[in-house]
Amino acid sequence: MTGSTGLVGRQVVRDLVRKNYEVYACYNRIKPEFGIPVNLDLSKTDKIISVLHSINPNIIIHLAAITDLEKCEIQREQAVLINTDSTRILARESTKLGAFFIYVSTDYVFDGTEGYRKEDDITNPLNIYGKSKLDGEIAIRDSTSKYAIIRTSTPFGLHSTKKSFPLWIKENLEGGKETSVLIDQFTSPTYVPNLSKMIIEVTLKQIIGIIHLAGATRISRYEFAIMIAEKLDLDKSLLKPIKIQDMNWKATRPKDSSLDISKAKKILMNKPEEIEYALENFIYEIKNLKN
């Protein structure tokens, strides 16, 4: 598995190891906490090929990506190298090995003019990150027939180095810091432990094709922040609504990248969670961490 130390990857590796699966946890710089650590530099084709053939996996879960939107706009070649080119090589080698290939993509393959996008809706990414991930999807469909493309939206959860949105809001409000939050950007926030269960189910059942695995609630960043403040009894007056047009960003963000998750709800045992329930679980996780 690539991206084994990331926000989502760490959880997936941990959950698979707990189920007694042998997981080769690929990493670039920081060694993973769970699984069998394997160093892998996705910028080097020969390294990808040699590592894959030495492991000879039955299943490949490809989570690694450059996800920083601004960095992708500035370092376009690097974004394409990691998000697209390495995906093409992994998928090609996966076919040679007869492995099932799982690729985690993004809601940012859509332009955000409409929300609740379905799996077969027309894609039209607005930024380099979204385009590089979509090109990864296309490379997979061209390279292998045994694949699942998983699109998700705004993952949040606990991680030692990666601070997701709810924790950022919590820490800002606890510190009495006035915080500007987008009122006109809508996504489907996805609780990482829920996402991990869904990814593992798709993996073990080898569900072929594109599937949206995201939270079951379409919500604006601002509404989400208000909900976090209320559940933690923090001062929500510190939250200041702001619009996308007021942000000085290089990368254009889609206004509504919420995903239709009816396919996942229909075919999976592990269903996408509503934001109220997911946030309560996240807060419980934070409180238990302190105890």
Side-chain angles (χ1 to χ4, degrees):
M1 192 178 99
T2 72
S4 60
T5 60
L7 179 64
V8 179
R10 178 183 175 276
Q11 183 79 44
V12 174
V13 175
R14 183 169 70 171
D15 290 348
L16 282 169
V17 168
R18 284 177 175 172
K19 290 176 180 286
N20 295 317
Y21 287 98
E22 186 176 71
V23 183
Y24 289 88
C26 296
Y27 71 98
N28 189 13
R29 289 184 298 274
I30 303 164
K31 272 197 174 184
E33 298 168 67
F34 310 102
I36 302 161
V38 178
N39 187 255
L40 177 62
D41 186 345
L42 289 175
S43 68
K44 294 184 169 65
T45 300
D46 56 346
K47 182 74 171 174
I48 296 172
I49 294 169
S50 65
V51 165
L52 280 186
H53 286 262
S54 64
I55 294 171
N56 193 21
N58 300 316
I59 292 167
I60 298 167
I61 303 176
H62 181 32
L63 273 155
I66 298 175
T67 58
D68 183 326
L69 269 70
E70 299 298 283
K71 184 177 179 182
C72 286
E73 291 295 316
I74 297 163
Q75 300 177 14
R76 294 183 175 212
E77 287 183 9
Q78 186 71 4
V80 170
L81 179 65
I82 300 301
N83 295 352
T84 307
D85 296 346
S86 73
T87 303
R88 182 180 295 106
I89 296 158
L90 285 162
R92 186 190 68 204
E93 297 307 311
S94 174
T95 303
K96 291 178 184 176
L97 295 167
F100 185 66
F101 192 82
I102 299 96
Y103 175 63
V104 178
S105 190
T106 173
D107 52 345
Y108 276 26
V109 298
F110 297 109
D111 60 18
T113 53
E114 292 177 38
Y116 287 123
R117 287 295 191 178
K118 291 182 167 64
E119 284 82 357
D120 57 357
D121 281 345
I122 294 168
T123 51
N124 183 33
L126 301 179
N127 51 54
I128 295 299
Y129 168 66
K131 187 177 187 313
S132 66
K133 291 295 286 183
L134 177 61
D135 287 345
E137 291 187 13
I138 294 164
I140 290 162
R141 296 201 298 267
D142 289 345
S143 302
T144 184
S145 56
K146 290 172 64 178
Y147 71 86
I149 291 169
I150 291 166
R151 295 189 188 127
T152 193
S153 175
T154 326
F156 69 93
L158 285 180
H159 192 277
S160 57
T161 58
K162 297 177 188 299
K163 191 178 296 182
S164 52
F165 183 75
L167 203 57
W168 177 70
I169 292 293
K170 174 182 176 289
E171 290 178 1
N172 279 5
L173 298 187
E174 283 176 344
K177 184 179 177 183
E178 194 173 279
T179 304
S180 296
V181 190
L182 291 170
I183 200 167
D184 61 344
Q185 186 185 28
F186 295 83
T187 64
S188 304
T190 313
Y191 184 42
V192 167
N194 177 225
L195 177 58
S196 175
K197 286 175 187 172
M198 293 191 289
I199 289 172
I200 289 170
E201 186 175 345
V202 167
T203 301
L204 298 181
K205 289 180 176 176
Q206 298 202 3
I207 296 168
I208 289 172
I210 300 173
I211 186 166
H212 289 170
L213 303 184
T217 308
R218 172 189 178 272
I219 192 169
S220 74
R221 292 275 188 171
Y222 183 76
E223 290 172 301
F224 191 18
I226 291 287
M227 187 183 289
I228 295 159
E230 288 176 348
K231 287 194 177 294
L232 291 168
D233 198 24
L234 296 170
D235 184 4
K236 61 186 179 185
S237 70
L238 290 168
L239 298 169
K240 304 299 175 187
I242 191 170
K243 292 193 171 183
I244 290 177
Q245 66 188 33
D246 301 322
M247 302 299 293
N248 187 27
W249 282 329
K250 286 183 171 62
T252 305
R253 270 71 164 173
K255 283 199 168 185
D256 191 341
S257 60
S258 57
L259 296 174
D260 183 302
I261 41 80
S262 35
K263 180 178 178 179
K265 284 172 78 173
K266 184 179 179 182
I267 68 174
L268 297 184
M269 285 181 61
N270 293 288
K271 311 291 184 188
E273 292 174 353
E274 299 288 343
I275 195 61
E276 284 267 356
Y277 178 75
L279 192 54
E280 281 171 11
N281 284 337
F282 179 64
I283 290 166
Y284 177 79
E285 196 181 359
I286 293 169
K287 288 177 177 174
N288 266 10
L289 195 69
K290 289 178 179 178
N291 297 335

